[in-house]
Amino acid sequence: MSIQGIFPIDKWNFKSESILTDLPAADFEQLMVHKSEHVLKKGEILFREGAYPSGIYYIVEGKVKKYKTDKTGREQIIYVANTGELLGYHAILSQYRYPDSAATLEESRIAFIPKEDFLLTLQQSSILNNRLLKTLSHEFSVLANSITLLAQKPVRERLALQLIVLREKYKVNFEEGEAVEINISRDDLASLVGTARENVVRVLTEFKEEGMLKTKGRKIFISDVKKLIVLANAG
């Protein structure tokens, strides 16, 4: 089922896939003129926190996690990026190092766009400029909501909300009445929710018993998103 009208997905989901949608052909061609595409296996690094950027990344197909790592090596996933989204442009716009790291969550096809082409297109395209500004503003709002979520909500509500957001990202060729399949490790899910792996496993078991989802290995099948929405309490 569609969650439009019953869940405010825009409060919790970045929109960088809209940056290149229907961009004028001349602008798009200029941006992509020297791009290179690579197929990356699950877990391969696109960029690391603290490195200097040499370009931006476009997800042609697949999913990528953006995350920060603390001094003990523990990851906190900030966001899961989907097909069509851009990554790495924050560091170029700020003229500084990457503020976070990015790695593939599954085998993905990634296009690398050199920094020079990105900046030249940005300089000449008012449409790209306006879209980036709008996207950055929206991302700030999403991050503010996420900080509040981690600080104030219990694990059950945080997990329910993240499962709803992930459901939208994994909803490919969806047909009404089918359960949406989310393929993510329990470690990555725990990192996204901001809790320990054992807490995620325990709460997923509770959700199964309550009829919200089913699991098979690492795969999670969302069978009753309405119940998750009520539990998430994220209106």
Side-chain angles (χ1 to χ4, degrees):
M1 61 167 286
S2 170
I3 63 173
Q4 287 297 120
I6 62 172
F7 181 79
I9 188 66
D10 288 348
K11 286 178 60 176
W12 308 100
N13 196 25
F14 291 177
K15 288 182 171 180
S16 69
E17 75 278 6
S18 64
I19 294 174
L20 300 185
T21 302
D22 297 326
L23 195 67
D27 294 345
F28 187 81
E29 288 171 9
Q30 181 172 276
L31 182 65
M32 297 291 182
V33 65
H34 296 121
K35 76 173 175 66
S36 56
E37 285 193 15
H38 308 275
V39 175
L40 303 183
K41 296 179 181 178
K42 177 186 177 297
E44 289 199 58
I45 304 292
L46 276 70
F47 53 81
R48 293 186 186 276
E49 181 178 355
Y52 285 103
S54 56
I56 64 172
Y57 298 84
Y58 174 63
I59 307 174
V60 180
E61 185 177 2
K63 293 177 180 62
V64 172
K65 63 180 179 181
K66 292 188 68 182
Y67 63 94
K68 293 184 75 70
T69 306
D70 65 19
K71 293 180 180 179
T72 67
R74 181 181 175 183
E75 284 184 12
Q76 173 66 59
I77 296 179
I78 302 167
Y79 179 66
V80 174
N82 208 356
T83 298
E85 297 196 52
L86 288 176
L87 298 170
Y89 54 89
H90 303 82
I92 292 178
L93 293 175
S94 67
Q95 298 182 353
Y96 198 58
R97 303 169 188 252
Y98 287 117
D100 48 31
S101 303
T104 53
L105 277 172
E106 61 189 31
E107 183 173 279
S108 303
R109 190 153 53 99
I110 308 293
F112 174 77
I113 300 167
K115 173 182 177 179
E116 294 77 14
D117 293 339
F118 172 64
L119 289 175
L120 179 62
T121 308
L122 191 61
Q123 185 180 34
Q124 298 180 0
S125 173
S126 60
I127 294 177
L128 183 59
N129 246 302
N130 291 336
R131 288 184 179 180
L132 273 173
L133 185 61
K134 186 175 181 180
T135 298
L136 288 167
S137 176
H138 178 253
E139 287 181 4
F140 178 82
S141 176
V142 171
L143 287 173
N145 290 334
S146 298
I147 291 169
T148 303
L149 172 75
L150 288 172
Q152 298 180 358
K153 288 184 177 290
V155 171
R156 276 175 61 89
E157 291 184 17
R158 299 203 308 262
L159 180 55
L161 192 144
Q162 294 295 357
L163 287 173
I164 295 164
V165 175
L166 287 171
R167 178 184 180 270
E168 292 303 291
K169 296 178 183 296
Y170 281 85
K171 213 167 67 171
V172 180
N173 300 322
F174 174 71
E175 292 186 13
E176 197 66 39
E178 288 186 349
V180 175
E181 175 187 320
I182 298 170
N183 191 353
I184 188 171
S185 73
R186 298 301 177 265
D187 287 330
D188 281 333
L189 188 54
S191 176
L192 186 61
V193 173
T195 190
R197 184 182 191 278
E198 52 267 30
N199 289 337
V200 162
V201 172
R202 173 179 55 80
V203 177
L204 282 176
T205 299
E206 294 173 3
F207 287 178
K208 285 169 64 176
E209 293 170 350
E210 295 166 29
M212 300 180 205
L213 54 84
K214 298 176 182 178
T215 61
K216 184 177 181 181
R218 60 180 268 157
K219 294 179 180 178
I220 300 169
F221 300 87
I222 305 298
S223 48
D224 195 334
V225 71
K226 282 187 176 180
K227 283 186 178 180
L228 284 175
I229 288 171
V230 171
L231 176 58
N233 189 27

